[in-house]
Amino acid sequence: MAAPKRGRSASAQSKPGRSLALILIAIVALTGGMFLSGHTTPRLGIDLAGGTSITLKAKADQGSAINKANMDTAVDIMNRRVNGLGVSEAEVQTQGNDNIIVNIPKGTNSKEAQEQVGTTAKLYFRPVLASEPSGAAAQSPSPSASPSGGASSKPSTSPSSSASSSQKASSSGSASPSATATSQGRAVTDALKADSTPSPSASASGSGKPSATPSATPSGGTDSKLQAQYAALDCSKATDRANAGKNAKPGESTVACGEIDKAWYKYLLGPAAVDGTEVKKAQAVFDTQGAAGWQVQMTFTGSGAKKFSDITGELAKNQPPQNEFGIVLDGEVVSSPYVSSAITGGQAEISGSFKQEEAQSLANMLSYGALPLSFQEQSVTTVTAALGGEQLHAGLLAGAIGLALVVIYLVVYYRGLSVVAMASLVVSAILTYVIMSLLGPAIGFALNLPAVCGAIVAIGITADSFIVYFERIRDEIREGRTLRPAVERAWPRARRTILVSDFVSFLAAAVLFIVTVGKVQGFAFTLGLTTLLDVVVVFLFTKPLMTLLARRQFFAGGHKWSGLDPKSLGAKPPLRRTRRPAGPVAGPVDPKEA
């Protein structure tokens, strides 16, 4: 039985059609998804498409100063707020000593981003002493407002409820006798519970408000003044909302407003129990095991876990709405979950009728809500893309010239092989365009000028992979091998070189993406994406296509225009075996004769 030949892969050589079919299916599927989604062009960054520019001026708070460290921290937090996934290309940068400029590209929800950036006051967890509908919501016996995810759906107290000398009296006349029945006539939707607690002991109402501890009940003196403010507060009026709790210190009780499904509620809140800086991490997740839907998971720092355990333990002793705590950001209650037992361990969940956007918005506020400074919005202007359009035109022209030079070089030097290289470049360009178009709505990716530069640089990286493979094939032909075995023998060595080269490029792009922000991240992201696509194209398109062409006489016969002519490459004569003589040979044998 003859031994198998070495140096050849039958599966790789005989079935290149599978790889070509696979990449063709991927292109068709991605292109179809692009057209079905309606996003047939990449989303452009602010320098190419225009957008919104917001100017914020820093103001020193008690215990904080306007300095470089605090400004840099604020920039980092704001950047993470508006760039939730890191590649939406919103820019946040300092200007002078006390200003921050935020540029939001067109196509982003600029209003939502503006609210995220403008919400710059510190985040606090405050116990709820009383709450009730305000304005138009107070006139309806059964408000339609229901807790929806992020905005807290609060069990309301009667309009006459006021903070009395006893803690429970502050919620007198409550329309919600239990934590599961609100004045809206439906069960509370937010659920706050410790991850370690199997029972829904800490479920949170859609309104999400905890009750105040007994010591926080206002009574007489200053508390009477606060009680009067609460009674007069009309949260349906913008001026009242803007002044509610203005200049309130963390250690003082205050009033605040919160919106639930377009209905306003007013709150009487106790002193801050937990500072927003003590939330170590918050993220929106979808509950795939239970029926809770979207949830917001919180992890507290060591000191925050202790404070959170203490306050939830006190709140659990009270009746609605005094078993709730208000998550207050920039003077507004963004959620007010209720608890029924102490939450220990430093981890908790807020769940309920959240939509994905609401859960992510609340998680963002919890993660990035605590800024070292407060900011005042100075101006909001619309940015045109005239200058960026000119720069894009110049950049695309430079890219076209570079691509043309690469093509000319390939045609002159590699002749027929240039067809393989150009076909691979076309496939890579299609995949890059389609994926960029899909990533815009998927993760907020925006194509800016640096990203265009990254795509242009990728042309050289991709062409380099083809050159490495072609040169390995030509080396094999110079050694006297025919084309088909040369294609297969050259692939393992070329593959190793291509992978090492692309790994270095991808590593550089990843590091650049991690350590930079704004436009530079666009360059790094595009460079990393095109580097990965280079590996896909070379493995699933270039190599299989070369295997098929090696079976064609034009290439296999070494036509002078194929780029694989053995004579022009200076190939050695074909390798042949020499037969050993049948019997022993007397005397020395001349090696040349052998």
Side-chain angles (χ1 to χ4, degrees):
M1 181 176 180
K5 296 181 180 180
R6 300 179 59 186
R8 306 203 35 195
S9 173
S11 59
Q13 185 179 11
S14 60
K15 300 178 181 178
R18 290 186 178 181
S19 298
L20 292 174
L22 179 61
I23 196 168
L24 178 62
I25 292 172
I27 291 175
V28 171
L30 289 172
T31 304
M34 179 183 71
F35 282 102
L36 289 175
S37 67
H39 299 277
T40 56
T41 57
R43 192 167 69 89
L44 301 179
I46 191 170
D47 53 356
L48 300 180
T52 303
S53 181
I54 305 170
T55 302
L56 303 171
K57 185 177 181 64
K59 298 188 300 181
D61 294 330
Q62 288 186 350
S64 64
I66 300 176
N67 52 39
K68 186 177 185 303
N70 284 338
M71 290 292 286
D72 288 344
T73 300
V75 166
D76 180 59
I77 292 174
M78 288 185 187
N79 182 69
R80 286 181 289 172
R81 276 189 191 173
V82 297
N83 289 316
L85 291 177
V87 291
S88 62
E89 302 308 328
E91 284 186 341
V92 183
Q93 57 191 9
T94 57
Q95 184 182 71
N97 296 324
D98 58 357
N99 288 322
I100 288 181
I101 307 296
V102 183
N103 293 323
I104 304 168
K106 186 178 180 180
T108 303
N109 189 333
S110 58
K111 181 178 180 181
E112 180 181 352
Q114 182 179 342
E115 292 174 353
Q116 288 268 334
V117 173
T119 309
T120 54
K122 290 187 176 181
L123 178 75
Y124 296 106
F125 291 70
R126 290 177 176 269
V128 174
L129 305 178
S131 70
E132 61 186 82
S134 183
Q139 307 303 320
S140 173
S142 179
S144 60
S146 62
S148 61
S152 56
S153 78
K154 335 161 182 181
S156 67
T157 60
S158 68
S160 62
S161 74
S162 59
S164 67
S165 57
S166 80
Q167 167 196 14
K168 293 182 180 181
S170 67
S171 60
S172 63
S174 171
S176 304
S178 70
T180 58
T182 69
S183 61
Q184 290 97 6
R186 59 182 294 179
V188 248
T189 52
D190 285 345
L192 178 63
K193 60 182 180 180
D195 292 341
S196 59
T197 306
S199 64
S201 59
S203 58
S205 74
S207 60
K209 342 169 219 174
S211 75
T213 59
S215 61
T217 304
S219 61
T222 303
D223 293 332
S224 298
K225 181 180 178 180
L226 187 65
Q227 192 173 333
Q229 292 178 5
Y230 173 73
L233 180 61
D234 184 356
C235 290
S236 64
K237 298 179 180 179
T239 53
D240 280 24
R241 294 197 300 271
N243 295 323
K246 190 175 182 179
N247 301 323
K249 295 180 174 58
E252 299 175 346
S253 295
T254 186
V255 294
C257 296
E259 186 179 18
I260 307 171
D261 199 12
K262 299 181 180 180
W264 287 100
Y265 286 75
K266 62 181 180 180
Y267 292 83
L268 184 60
L269 304 171
V274 182
D275 192 288
T277 57
E278 293 170 313
V279 178
K280 185 177 181 181
K281 180 181 179 183
Q283 60 181 349
V285 297
F286 187 80
D287 182 14
T288 57
Q289 298 180 348
W294 281 97
Q295 301 176 330
V296 177
Q297 295 181 347
M298 298 183 295
T299 302
F300 293 87
T301 61
S303 59
K306 175 66 168 58
K307 294 177 182 178
F308 191 70
S309 175
D310 292 343
I311 184 61
T312 52
E314 292 293 336
L315 296 177
K317 302 174 183 177
N318 304 324
Q319 296 298 315
Q322 291 187 336
N323 65 340
E324 305 165 5
F325 63 84
I327 301 174
V328 185
L329 184 61
D330 201 18
E332 180 181 340
V333 177
V334 296
S335 184
S336 54
Y338 71 81
V339 297
S340 56
S341 66
I343 299 176
T344 59
Q347 293 185 335
E349 294 177 353
I350 301 177
S351 62
S353 58
F354 281 106
K355 296 179 182 177
Q356 180 178 0
E357 296 80 6
E358 293 168 338
Q360 290 175 341
S361 177
L362 179 58
N364 260 353
M365 291 178 182
L366 290 169
S367 295
Y368 313 129
L371 293 175
L373 301 166
S374 60
F375 290 84
Q376 181 178 359
E377 191 174 273
Q378 295 290 300
S379 65
V380 179
T381 58
T382 300
V383 180
T384 63
L387 178 60
E390 295 176 1
Q391 293 174 334
L392 176 62
H393 177 75
L396 292 177
L397 179 60
I401 293 174
L403 179 60
L405 292 175
V406 170
V407 171
I408 292 173
Y409 171 79
L410 291 172
V411 171
V412 171
Y413 191 74
Y414 289 106
R415 301 188 180 185
L417 286 178
S418 63
V419 175
V420 180
M422 287 187 286
S424 300
L425 284 173
V426 170
V427 171
S428 181
I430 293 173
L431 287 173
T432 302
Y433 181 88
V434 172
I435 291 175
M436 283 185 176
S437 299
L438 292 173
L439 289 180
I443 64 173
F445 172 75
L447 187 66
N448 57 17
L449 284 175
V452 173
C453 294
I456 293 173
V457 170
I459 295 174
I461 295 176
T462 305
D464 181 64
S465 298
F466 308 150
I467 291 172
V468 168
Y469 186 32
F470 294 162
E471 287 301 320
R472 292 294 190 187
I473 294 174
R474 297 173 82 165
D475 286 343
E476 294 294 333
I477 292 176
R478 290 187 185 100
E479 293 295 325
R481 294 181 176 85
T482 56
L483 182 58
R484 292 182 67 174
V487 167
E488 301 306 320
R489 289 177 64 89
W491 174 239
R493 290 190 295 170
R495 177 180 59 201
R496 184 166 53 250
T497 304
I498 292 170
L499 288 176
V500 171
S501 175
D502 283 344
F503 174 76
V504 172
S505 296
F506 182 80
L507 184 63
V511 172
L512 191 62
F513 182 85
I514 293 171
V515 302
T516 59
V517 295
K519 291 184 177 181
V520 180
Q521 279 191 327
F523 172 84
F525 183 83
T526 306
L527 182 61
L529 173 64
T530 50
T531 301
L532 290 176
L533 289 179
D534 175 50
V535 175
V536 173
V537 170
V538 169
F539 275 70
L540 297 183
F541 184 81
T542 307
K543 166 57 173 63
L545 181 61
M546 196 65 226
T547 300
L548 289 178
L549 293 180
R551 301 172 184 176
R552 300 295 181 266
Q553 182 60 32
F554 177 79
F555 289 96
H559 192 281
K560 65 178 182 178
W561 288 104
S562 67
L564 297 169
D565 181 14
K567 292 182 179 179
S568 63
L569 295 176
K572 297 178 181 179
L575 297 177
R576 295 178 182 175
R577 292 184 179 181
T578 58
R579 297 190 179 185
R580 295 183 179 179
V585 179
V589 178
D590 189 341
K592 293 183 179 180
E593 295 178 358

